[in-house]
Amino acid sequence: MTTTVDPPATLNTARMRTWHRPSLWFAGAMAVATVLSIAAMLIDHRTLLGSPVWAKPFKFAVSGGLYFFTWSWLVSLLRGRSRKVASVATTVAVVLFAAEYVAMAFQAARARPSHFANTSPFDAALFQAMGVMVAALWLATLVGTVVLMFTRIEDRAVYWAVRTGAVVALIGAGLGATMTQPTPIERATIKATGHSDLIGAHSVGVADGGPGLPLLGWSTTGGDLRIAHFIGLHGLQALPLLAFGLAVLATRLPRLRESAVRVRLVWTGSIGYAGLVGLILWQAERGEPLIYPSGTTLAAAGLLVGVVAAAVAASVLVPVRKAVR
């Protein structure tokens, strides 16, 4: 399934005609959902676990819109059988995410949790169904990611950014599974009473619903597993944007006109980005808030920054070995 495609230098209208239509339309629908969820938060002042009931639909609309907008472009890079396979997988992912989003909005309207809910048999069944949808969505994304591994792009920096970004995003999506296990408090409640209204949590060391960052809601008193999940998921946008940014800078910086230099920098950015996801996940699992890191976390972050900075310097300064003819 190896194909060769032209480099996607610009996101012009003519180019967008080749994009995957269902995911592009769905990204537009998520843009509308973003506006509607903002309006809902302004009108409906109810809260759920310390956050506005419409905050989660808002965040998922923004994240889903960016995610599927990018996949619409990624599918356009493919040709022939590869494109057909990726198109079907991406359409399936759109349908599954749309179904999950409808369930989430339905629960928001009822002021009930959509994730980890075990308040009633209906809530528990709905969350289990959403879990099946998420697992199937991950598998559909895996298919699209594998197909991308066999795609050739003329611009080698974009070629590697697309591949590494898709892999990091796939790993980031999978990190959602870290939130589904009962917490120690929930286990104790189940042992004592036989029931817990919530099964699973995104906070570590504190209960969900405590103080959090404005709008994002990420915990400011304990660890929060959603952060690594979010940042990893959007490696799908960050790393291709890095490659495009390097291409733009190459018009002003002669050194970046060397394809090998841009490839080195993309690989450096990819490894650094993956390291950032791992660092933030490690911090959260130790019960640390993002904005209040311990000395150990700061030391690890400093080491990561130092390694990335050294790799950037080496990428730019080490001469490119010319092919012998």
Side-chain angles (χ1 to χ4, degrees), residues 8 72 106 117 129 150 199 214 221 226 241 273 290:
S72 180
F106 174 72
F150 295 90
I199 303 292
T221 57
R226 293 175 297 182
L241 282 174
Y273 196 92
L290 176 69

Side-chain angles (χ1 to χ4, degrees), residues 66-68 70-71 73-74 148 161-162 165-169 231-241 273:
L66 290 171
Y67 186 78
F68 284 105
T70 307
W71 266 108
W73 164 63
L74 291 175
L148 279 175
V162 164
V167 171
V168 170
I231 293 175
L233 191 65
H234 291 291
L236 191 67
Q237 290 84 41
L239 296 175
L241 282 174
Y273 196 92

Side-chain angles (χ1 to χ4, degrees), residues 85-96:
V85 172
S87 180
V88 170
T90 306
T91 300
V92 169
V94 166
V95 172
L96 291 167

Side-chain angles (χ1 to χ4, degrees), residues 24-39:
L24 186 60
W25 293 333
F26 186 69
M30 286 294 95
V32 174
T34 298
V35 175
L36 292 177
S37 57
I38 292 172

Side-chain angles (χ1 to χ4, degrees), residues 69-213:
F69 182 83
T70 307
W71 266 108
S72 180
W73 164 63
L74 291 175
V75 173
S76 78
L77 303 180
L78 304 167
R79 297 290 182 271
R81 187 157 59 97
S82 297
R83 183 183 177 103
K84 290 179 182 178
V85 172
S87 180
V88 170
T90 306
T91 300
V92 169
V94 166
V95 172
L96 291 167
F97 188 92
E100 182 190 7
Y101 191 83
V102 168
M104 190 186 312
F106 174 72
Q107 288 293 76
R110 298 175 66 225
R112 295 289 186 91
S114 54
H115 292 76
F116 321 127
N118 193 45
T119 308
S120 69
F122 175 79
D123 291 329
L126 186 59
F127 176 52
Q128 289 172 4
M130 291 173 66
V132 172
M133 294 175 198
V134 170
L137 193 158
W138 189 89
L139 289 173
T141 305
L142 174 63
V143 172
T145 301
V146 170
V147 171
L148 279 175
M149 297 300 103
F150 295 90
T151 302
R152 290 179 181 171
I153 301 173
E154 185 177 326
D155 187 309
R156 301 299 290 175
V158 175
Y159 169 77
W160 285 113
V162 164
R163 298 177 85 178
T164 57
V167 171
V168 170
L170 189 67
I171 293 170
L175 292 179
T178 62
M179 311 177 205
T180 59
Q181 297 302 311
T183 67
I185 294 175
E186 290 166 354
R187 290 194 189 98
T189 302
I190 293 170
K191 185 177 181 179
T193 67
H195 177 80
S196 173
D197 286 344
L198 297 172
I199 303 292
H202 50 72
S203 298
V204 179
V206 295
D208 284 355
L213 293 175

